Amino acid sequence: MLRTATDWLGVHREQVNALNVYPVPDGDTGTNMHLTMQSVRRELDTCDTGEMRAVARAISYGALLGARGNSGVILSQLLRGFADSVRDLPAIDVPGLKRALLAARQAGYKAVMKPVEGTILTVARGIAEGAQTGSTVQEVLENAVARGQDFLLQTQDMLPALKQAGVVDSGGQGFLYVVRGMLAGLLGEALPPAPEIAGNAQESFEAEEYGYCTEFLMDEARLPIEDIRELVTPFGDSLLVVGAEGYVKGHIHTDRPDELLATVGRHGRMLRTKVEDMTEQHTEILAGSGSAAQAEGERPRSGLVAVASGDGIIKQFRALGARIVSGGQTSNPSVQDILDAVNSVSAETVIVLPNNKNVLMAADKAAELLGGRAVVVSTRTLGQGLGAALSFNADADAQELAGYMQESAGRVTTFEITRASRNTVHTTPDGRELDIHEGDVIGLKDDELVHAGGTPEAAVQALVRAQAADAEVVTVFRSVNTPAERLEELAQALEAEFPLLDIQTYAGGPELYDYLVTVE
């Protein structure tokens, strides 16, 4: 029945994705719930299906390990409640099925700190209520599905987001398909054709900032689940911290995913982590490209940790697979900060990018304390770090990868445009003397002071001009203190002067600099 339920949900996966607008319109509920069910099926395929305790463990363990997203984690708890209820039965009869669906509802509500009606929980409640009538297993499931459908239709009026989009709750629809699939498995029904998708409900919402969907799976936890839940509560919302079979699974929507994972990582052994940019997922849906989540694979051979600051630069590193340690010039992270970040990554070996000469020593010390689990690539600037990260491959051996990444870092020149903090006279590496006054615009090339005076934009143009003969791509990040219009004007000037160069611009550079520029 559960194998058929997995396939039944799979047929309807994209339909469920298209309904997904709550709590965030990121269009992945169907995918996440299907991945959770696939994990259950994998465990069932390898267990003794003639022994109820083995089946119950496979359901509970598989659901927790495969749970993804808000609805996937709640689904795992519904399944855990069901499994715990039948664990000691010789077989599932009518009274046992009725109790199991009630237990599923109770486990689902208990898992959520602040249960919200109009969600998968509401449908689980309807299914449990409907299941209390019927004299055969078939009748119990038929009544459960019918009552669940009634409750599902009510969800549209329970949450403003659902009412705005004119849809029912996606998680509730997904769980109803699971129970309907169980009934189909009982009756031996063939799978239906996939339904036509008329459109995505996410299109009813304008683009805005949604934060990061952050998940972790760990074992060897040194704190009770309740304490871990309390620890992560201040980081965001849509919080779920649950456990089964000795594992702890966490899910939260937060703007500080790296700090959260580092905090949790101090209290157990991290097996898997996931950070997804929900803003980017929603934007992709609005652009028509979709954003289906990918299945979790085996533990990666290599992980990546980068020291960085500036929202735009941090986003670039995250897109390349890095866990972030906040810091950089004037705000150097400690050895413990780097240790926490490495321990929050589930990979066998972790590559660390210090991205600042003042962070190199702390990174080396952290690697020493980790006894070979971390490898430092000696990047001295953010530009070198981005260059190195472009060569990162989670499937490659970290020791070999570190060499390639060091080479990639060496092919990037970094310019930093900032302001002088005092009066001084400085001699550049090529022998020029710069008379600098406090507040003057200054330009650094790979940490060497090479320019003074003029406007920040003129400084960028001068530094790029000196490097243009060896350049192909110029990327300019502006800080929050630099108006967007000035970056646009600078980009137009660079494109006009250097038509053969690929000029890329981003917001979100470090606040210390007017501009941070990388030249490859």
Side-chain angles (χ1 to χ4, degrees), residues 423-477:
N423 299 335
T424 188
V425 175
H426 176 79
T427 303
T428 64
D430 59 0
R432 292 177 294 116
E433 193 171 89
L434 301 178
D435 186 13
I436 301 170
H437 299 88
E438 181 180 350
D440 281 355
V441 170
I442 56 174
L444 293 87
K445 175 183 176 182
D446 292 335
D447 281 340
E448 290 282 353
L449 182 55
V450 296
H451 178 92
T455 66
E457 292 73 28
V460 172
Q461 288 177 270
L463 293 173
V464 171
R465 190 176 298 120
Q467 196 76 17
D470 300 319
E472 294 179 2
V473 181
V474 175
T475 306
V476 185
F477 294 89

Side-chain angles (χ1 to χ4, degrees), residues 175-190:
F175 186 48
L176 191 62
Y177 280 138
V178 169
V179 180
R180 177 65 182 87
M182 291 174 68
L183 175 61
L186 176 71
L187 301 178
E189 293 181 25

Side-chain angles (χ1 to χ4, degrees), residues 153-220:
L153 294 175
Q154 295 172 29
T155 61
Q156 183 172 333
D157 296 319
M158 292 180 176
L159 290 171
L162 301 181
K163 196 158 193 172
Q164 177 180 336
V167 296
V168 296
D169 179 65
S170 57
Q173 179 69 84
F175 186 48
L176 191 62
Y177 280 138
V178 169
V179 180
R180 177 65 182 87
M182 291 174 68
L183 175 61
L186 176 71
L187 301 178
E189 293 181 25
L191 292 175
E196 295 276 339
I197 310 300
N200 291 316
Q202 298 86 17
E203 294 169 357
S204 301
F205 299 84
E206 298 294 329
E208 58 179 276
E209 293 296 322
Y210 292 107
Y212 297 88
C213 179
T214 305
E215 297 177 14
F216 61 85
L217 177 70
M218 71 177 185
D219 66 359
E220 300 177 10

Side-chain angles (χ1 to χ4, degrees), residues 131-144:
Q132 301 316 302
T133 60
S135 58
T136 67
V137 168
Q138 178 178 337
E139 288 178 359
V140 168
L141 287 175
E142 287 174 343
N143 293 339

Side-chain angles (χ1 to χ4, degrees), residues 382-402:
L382 285 166
Q384 288 183 355
L386 288 168
L390 285 168
S391 296
F392 175 68
N393 178 355
D395 297 325
D397 175 77
Q399 295 290 345
E400 295 180 8
L401 191 56

